[in-house]
Amino acid sequence: MRYGFVCTLLLMAVTVSGCLMHQKITPVDYAWTLESVLNVDRNGAVKGPPKTPTFNAKQLFTWEQCAGTMNQPETLRLIQNQAGFYFITAPGFKNVYVFRPGDASLELINTIGIDPNGMSRPAFNQRVPFIQLIHGSKVFMLDEKGIKK
Amino acid sequence: MVSLFNHTNRQEKDHMKGIIRTVIVVGFVLLGTLAPLFAEVSDYERVERFKAEYNDIIKAIHTTGDQSEITLIAERIKRLSDEYEDFRAFLNDALYPQKYDDYIGELRRSLSRATQRVALTSEKVQLSNRLTQNRQENIRLSLTASKLAEENRTLKALINKLRLTREKDKETIDKLNTMVAELIEKVAEQEKLVAELKDKIEVRDRAVVGMTGELMNRFDKKITDKGKDKNIQLTVEKNEIFDIILSTIKENSDFVKSGFLQPDDLIFAKEEHDKLSDIWERFKPEFEAMHGKNTESAASMRKIQATLDDWANQIDSSPWKTLHALFTDNGFELANFQNGSEFKNAVVTFVDQEIQQNKRKRYGLFVETLWAEEIAPQWLPYLIDTQRLTPNETAEIEAKFREWAGLRDYLMWGIIGGVVVCMLVIGAVMARRRKS
């Protein structure tokens, strides 16, 4: 009897806490109309207009093997898709990096390889539900998982 | 024969090859040229291009001063609007917090203001040219009228001297008559010139009043709009009005300074003064609001106020100067006078001196000719109407003239009495002789 009562209490507690943890507003559309073109200073600090995240891109340049070199880009192109993932690339980058906003951080979710020789003038367009990447005459449709055929 | 056939066939093949090669090259060139048109464009670049074109057009609107440029800008706005019409929804989002329609609307409003400004500038240039022509014509007329007035005064003085002379022979009378005829002709010519000058001044002043009034209305409408470009435009237009008002006031003041004006001309000058004073009173707050209360603007405002005051002073002092010149030209040295009281005193003192020194000698010329023919009909009504001379002062002068005239009567009675006594004496002497 006592055992049954304790079990019931535990079940109720788990149910209530579970309900609280999963409370959310849906659907939310995070899609930006337009990509942001952010300036990068010599120290890798990225700062754009209000409402765009401020961060340091040195780690990104290390991954792209252009940190501290003359090839370090002066601008980064950033766009957020409908699901809320950030897509980042820059002139000279070989990849597009997909991040998820974390607790005062950007968590790398995916690295999408585009051109092993680097992109000269990449640009993002919002094409819901995808992000369109323009690289010269080539066009790629991306989501957080990679290139969509 | 076979060889010839083979040769012709080879030529045709070569020709065909050439054509195919040309078509391929042209095809590649066309493909290279047209390919970018069909390529995907970055939305960001599209927005930046739109903004750049917008800024470029706005800049062109602000600097344009020509109707043909306005037409070209209108075409550019239409092209921009047509080009981006398909992206209207996208641009409405991308240009947040503004919208695509706000941008296009602002371009059209700016162009409309620029069109008004260009039209206004064109009107002002035309008006300015007319004013310059009018100014030159006025200067010419003014100089001629001034010269003629001086000649007339000299002629009048000569005529009066001849009238005083005792030698009333035929030659003198003929000369006098010729001079009087010449004077009448010259006075008519002078009056015609002054009338023409007045017409031109009036037309000019009316144009200035009309233009400033219209600009004021436009300022009143525009003053509600905020924006750097509009303020610059207002500043330019207000400075131009300021210059026009200042030069017009100066010219009017010079007209009064010329010294040949009759009472009618002075009444006209006063009316023009009041009109332009009114314009200045209306314009002054705009000017203050535009420049603030800094030293330079205060100096400019003092300058225009001083010119207006000088004009008013000229109108006030002009009749006294003209009257004094009239006396002097006719050989009567009166003390200077600046107002009705001084005028009365000068005339009374002069008559007293004449009574003491010359008795009745110059009574006829002073009172019967100069006063009765010129001053009393032309100047006295004006002096009294404009309250420069009071009825009491006029009465005092006339009383003094009667005293002078009375002195002349005593003399006449003396002469008559003398003649009678002489006749009586002669009669008595003749009667005694008969008796003896």
Side-chain angles (χ1 to χ4, degrees):
Chain A
M1 182 70 185
R2 180 178 278 179
Y3 178 75
F5 178 71
V6 169
C7 282
T8 309
L9 272 180
L10 271 173
L11 189 65
M12 281 175 69
V14 167
T15 309
V16 167
S17 65
C19 285
L20 284 173
M21 279 177 72
H22 288 92
Q23 273 185 333
K24 56 184 177 184
I25 299 168
T26 53
V28 174
D29 184 355
Y30 285 101
W32 290 359
T33 307
L34 202 63
E35 66 177 333
S36 280
V37 179
L38 311 173
N39 290 324
V40 185
D41 70 11
R42 290 168 66 89
N43 301 318
V46 179
K47 200 172 178 194
K51 297 179 187 174
T52 50
T54 302
F55 59 95
N56 194 298
K58 261 190 181 171
Q59 188 59 49
L60 204 59
F61 298 150
T62 309
W63 296 335
E64 276 289 329
Q65 297 172 337
C66 61
T69 68
M70 291 296 283
N71 295 330
Q72 182 177 306
E74 291 176 356
T75 56
L76 275 186
R77 304 183 89 99
L78 173 73
I79 194 165
Q80 199 171 21
N81 74 354
Q82 201 174 20
F85 293 96
Y86 287 113
F87 291 70
I88 299 178
T89 194
F93 273 26
K94 303 172 189 74
N95 308 299
V96 169
Y97 295 88
V98 184
F99 291 93
R100 180 168 58 196
D103 187 9
S105 65
L106 286 171
E107 293 171 17
L108 184 65
I109 298 296
N110 196 3
T111 302
I112 305 169
I114 304 294
D115 188 340
N117 297 317
M119 296 175 278
S120 57
R121 290 177 61 204
F124 289 126
N125 287 332
Q126 186 69 251
R127 298 288 181 264
V128 176
F130 301 109
I131 295 296
Q132 183 186 58
L133 172 75
I134 301 171
H135 164 41
S137 58
K138 293 178 187 165
V139 175
F140 302 90
M141 301 305 271
L142 313 175
D143 66 9
E144 63 275 15
K145 288 169 191 152
I147 300 172
K148 294 291 148 191
K149 298 290 177 187
Chain B
M1 185 68 182
V2 172
S3 163
L4 187 65
F5 176 78
N6 284 342
H7 178 71
T8 312
N9 207 12
R10 203 179 305 128
Q11 265 189 335
E12 274 179 7
K13 275 183 182 172
D14 287 347
H15 183 63
M16 281 302 288
K17 273 182 187 171
I19 290 172
I20 291 165
R21 208 176 294 135
T22 309
V23 167
I24 290 168
V25 169
V26 169
F28 271 111
V29 169
L30 275 176
L31 200 66
T33 314
L34 298 175
L37 294 178
F38 302 105
E40 283 288 344
V41 177
S42 155
D43 290 344
Y44 178 83
E45 305 300 338
R46 181 174 282 128
V47 172
E48 290 301 301
R49 275 216 302 269
F50 175 81
K51 282 184 186 169
E53 178 65 2
Y54 169 84
N55 288 330
D56 210 34
I57 294 176
I58 282 284
K59 205 169 161 187
I61 288 174
H62 290 168
T63 52
T64 186
D66 194 288
Q67 189 53 49
S68 58
E69 282 177 13
I70 294 275
T71 313
L72 290 176
I73 293 170
E75 284 168 12
R76 277 181 75 181
I77 294 173
K78 189 175 180 313
R79 270 203 306 276
L80 184 75
S81 162
D82 290 346
E83 187 183 341
Y84 287 93
E85 186 59 34
D86 291 344
F87 305 99
R88 187 192 205 120
F90 162 71
L91 286 172
N92 274 339
D93 284 345
L95 294 168
Y96 181 84
Q98 282 183 287
K99 286 180 178 287
Y100 165 78
D101 296 334
D102 297 338
Y103 276 77
I104 297 293
E106 179 55 30
L107 285 179
R108 288 183 177 140
R109 281 191 297 278
S110 295
L111 186 70
S112 163
R113 285 195 295 269
T115 310
Q116 279 183 13
R117 173 167 52 84
V118 167
L120 196 62
T121 308
S122 164
E123 278 172 34
K124 273 187 290 193
V125 168
Q126 285 175 10
L127 182 71
S128 180
N129 289 342
R130 283 212 308 274
L131 290 180
T132 308
Q133 279 176 359
N134 181 295
R135 190 173 300 142
Q136 286 164 350
E137 185 69 4
N138 287 358
I139 290 169
R140 186 186 68 74
L141 283 172
S142 181
L143 283 173
T144 317
S146 201
K147 195 178 160 201
L148 210 55
E150 201 176 325
E151 283 175 13
N152 289 354
R153 280 205 298 270
T154 315
L155 202 58
K156 265 186 211 170
L158 268 173
I159 290 168
N160 287 339
K161 271 183 193 165
L162 277 177
R163 277 176 177 165
L164 270 180
T165 185
R166 290 166 193 275
E167 295 162 11
K168 301 279 185 189
D169 55 16
K170 191 178 179 303
E171 195 185 340
T172 310
I173 290 166
D174 286 348
K175 196 176 172 188
L176 198 61
N177 286 338
T178 314
M179 286 170 82
V180 168
E182 192 187 343
L183 180 65
I184 289 168
E185 204 175 301
K186 281 191 166 183
V187 165
E189 194 183 339
Q190 187 199 338
E191 281 172 359
K192 196 180 155 200
L193 277 173
V194 173
E196 200 179 331
L197 188 56
K198 273 160 67 179
D199 278 350
K200 285 187 182 297
I201 287 175
E202 196 175 9
V203 167
R204 192 267 325 275
D205 288 357
R206 207 185 304 133
V208 170
V209 169
M211 189 199 69
T212 45
E214 190 189 343
L215 284 176
M216 290 297 181
N217 290 338
R218 293 188 194 193
F219 292 155
D220 292 344
K221 282 176 198 158
K222 283 179 191 167
I223 215 89
T224 52
D225 294 336
K226 302 284 177 197
K228 199 180 170 188
D229 59 319
K230 291 154 212 155
N231 289 339
I232 290 168
Q233 188 183 324
L234 283 175
T235 307
V236 171
E237 287 173 353
K238 284 179 185 176
N239 279 335
E240 284 171 11
I241 293 192
F242 180 81
D243 291 343
I244 288 172
I245 291 178
L246 184 61
S247 68
T248 307
I249 292 172
K250 268 185 183 166
E251 268 183 63
N252 273 288
S253 180
D254 290 346
F255 171 70
V256 180
K257 273 182 197 166
S258 59
F260 52 77
L261 304 186
Q262 295 299 307
D264 285 350
D265 309 326
L266 289 168
I267 290 168
F268 164 79
K270 179 77 173 67
E271 284 169 1
E272 296 303 294
H273 174 270
D274 292 348
K275 257 189 255 173
L276 286 167
S277 287
D278 182 50
I279 281 288
W280 172 236
E281 286 303 319
R282 282 184 62 199
F283 182 63
K284 205 156 57 173
E286 296 281 347
F287 189 78
E288 259 177 350
M290 178 178 68
H291 289 292
K293 291 188 175 174
N294 59 40
T295 320
E296 196 183 339
S297 70
S300 299
M301 294 190 53
R302 275 202 302 276
K303 190 177 174 186
I304 211 161
Q305 192 57 54
T307 318
L308 260 178
D309 292 345
D310 180 51
W311 182 11
N313 289 337
Q314 292 295 336
I315 294 172
D316 276 346
S317 62
S318 183
W320 306 123
K321 280 182 188 165
T322 309
L323 282 168
H324 194 267
L326 206 56
F327 288 129
T328 310
D329 289 344
N330 283 284
F332 303 113
E333 291 301 327
L334 270 74
N336 276 327
F337 43 85
Q338 296 291 327
N339 54 48
S341 170
E342 288 178 9
F343 173 72
K344 183 263 299 176
N345 289 339
V347 174
V348 167
T349 309
F350 171 78
V351 173
D352 279 340
Q353 283 171 353
E354 281 294 302
I355 290 171
Q356 279 179 7
Q357 291 169 8
N358 298 321
K359 306 294 179 198
R360 65 192 183 281
K361 191 178 164 189
R362 299 205 287 178
Y363 173 86
L365 185 57
F366 190 90
V367 179
E368 290 173 355
T369 306
L370 185 59
W371 189 269
E373 287 178 11
E374 285 195 48
I375 296 174
Q378 286 178 28
W379 286 97
L380 281 189
Y382 170 75
L383 294 177
I384 292 166
D385 286 349
T386 53
Q387 296 174 338
R388 283 177 166 79
L389 196 67
T390 64
N392 284 344
E393 286 162 346
T394 317
E396 272 188 65
I397 291 170
E398 282 168 356
K400 186 52 75 179
F401 286 163
R402 279 196 297 276
E403 187 187 328
W404 198 4
L407 180 72
R408 192 185 181 217
D409 289 344
Y410 297 144
L411 195 71
M412 286 295 289
W413 282 116
I415 291 167
I416 292 167
V419 170
V420 170
V421 168
C422 282
M423 285 176 72
L424 284 172
V425 169
I426 290 165
V429 169
M430 285 178 73
R432 187 175 280 179
R433 276 187 185 170
R434 269 184 205 161
K435 278 181 185 175
S436 66

